[in-house]
Amino acid sequence: MSVFQTYLQLGFLHICTPRAADHLTFLLALCAPYVLADWRRVLALVTSFTVGHSLTLALATLGIVAISPTLIEALIPITIMVTALLNMRGASRVLKPRAPVVLVTSSNALALGFGLIHGLGFSNYLQSLLGANSRPVLELLAFNVGVEVGQVLIVGVILLVGAVLLRGLGVARRDWLLTTSGAALGIATLLLMQQLWP
C-alpha cells in the first residue's frame, strides 16, 4: 500500500471508529436540525467545519501552531455542548427546505470556529503517527481526505436515519431534534468530565 493510501485509510478510520466519539457526537449535533431535503444547507455547514479543521490540522501538524492537547481535548466536548444547546433553544423553529442557501450565516461561522478546535484534536493523533517526519505534506493531505470521506459517510447516515424516522415512522421533527441534541449533550458532558477528572 502506498503512503497516500495508508494515511487515507488512517484518516478514515480515525473518524469512523467508536474511539472518535467526540467527533462523531459533534457531527450528530451539527446535523440534528436538518432533514434530507436540507442537504444543501448541511453541505454548506459541513464545508465550513471542514475549512476550519483542515486549516488547524495543517498548521499544527506542520509545527506552525502549538496548543496544549489537554486544553483542546477539553474544548472539543464544549463545542458539542454549545451546538446541542443552540439546537434545543431553536427546536420550535423549522427551516424551510426550499429557501435559498446562504453561505455566510451564524451557523456556518460557528461550524468554522469549532472546526478550528477539532482540527487541533485531529493533529494530536496525526503527529503521534508521523514521529520524526517534519514536513509530512503528502501524509497530511491523505489523512485529511480520509477524515473527509469518513465525515461525509457519517453525515449521510445521520440524514438517512433521520429521513427513515421522520418520513417512515412519523416521528416529529422537533422530537428528533431534541432527542439527538439531548443525547449529544449528555455524551459531551461525560467526555468533558473525563477530561477534567481523569
Side-chain angles (χ1 to χ4, degrees):
M1 201 183 304
S2 69
V3 170
F4 187 90
Q5 289 174 317
T6 299
Y7 279 86
L8 179 75
Q9 186 177 30
L10 287 169
F12 179 82
L13 293 175
H14 182 61
I15 193 78
C16 291
T17 175
R19 291 192 304 271
D22 49 357
H23 301 297
L24 295 172
T25 305
F26 180 75
L27 290 174
L28 176 64
L30 195 67
C31 296
Y34 303 96
V35 294
L36 204 51
D38 299 320
W39 69 268
R40 291 178 184 86
R41 279 198 185 86
V42 175
L43 182 61
L45 198 64
V46 171
T47 299
S48 301
F49 179 64
T50 295
V51 169
H53 80 63
S54 297
L55 179 62
T56 49
L57 175 60
L59 292 175
T61 303
L62 296 173
I64 299 169
V65 171
I67 298 177
S68 164
T70 304
L71 175 61
I72 296 305
E73 292 304 320
L75 286 175
I76 287 174
I78 292 172
T79 67
I80 302 167
M81 294 169 78
V82 170
T83 305
L85 289 169
L86 288 173
N87 289 347
M88 295 166 87
R89 189 182 75 173
S92 58
R93 187 179 70 246
V94 176
L95 298 170
K96 295 178 181 176
R98 299 189 187 280
V101 176
V102 180
L103 293 179
V104 182
T105 66
S106 57
S107 296
N108 291 351
L110 196 64
L112 174 68
F114 287 169
L116 295 172
I117 295 170
H118 283 251
L120 293 168
F122 290 138
S123 72
N124 293 334
Y125 173 74
L126 182 54
Q127 284 172 322
S128 70
L129 292 174
L130 291 167
N133 191 343
S134 60
R135 292 289 172 196
V137 177
L138 181 64
E139 292 89 339
L140 176 60
L141 174 64
F143 184 83
N144 203 41
V145 170
V147 167
E148 290 319 304
V149 171
Q151 188 171 273
V152 167
L153 177 64
I154 291 158
V155 167
V157 168
I158 292 168
L159 291 177
L160 286 173
V161 169
V164 168
L165 292 172
L166 297 172
R167 290 183 185 176
L169 300 178
V171 173
R173 186 168 176 174
R174 184 174 183 273
D175 293 342
W176 163 254
L177 174 58
L178 289 174
T179 301
T180 52
S181 297
L185 181 61
I187 293 168
T189 302
L190 290 173
L191 291 171
L192 181 59
M193 290 173 64
Q194 288 173 357
Q195 289 300 320
L196 296 178
W197 298 284

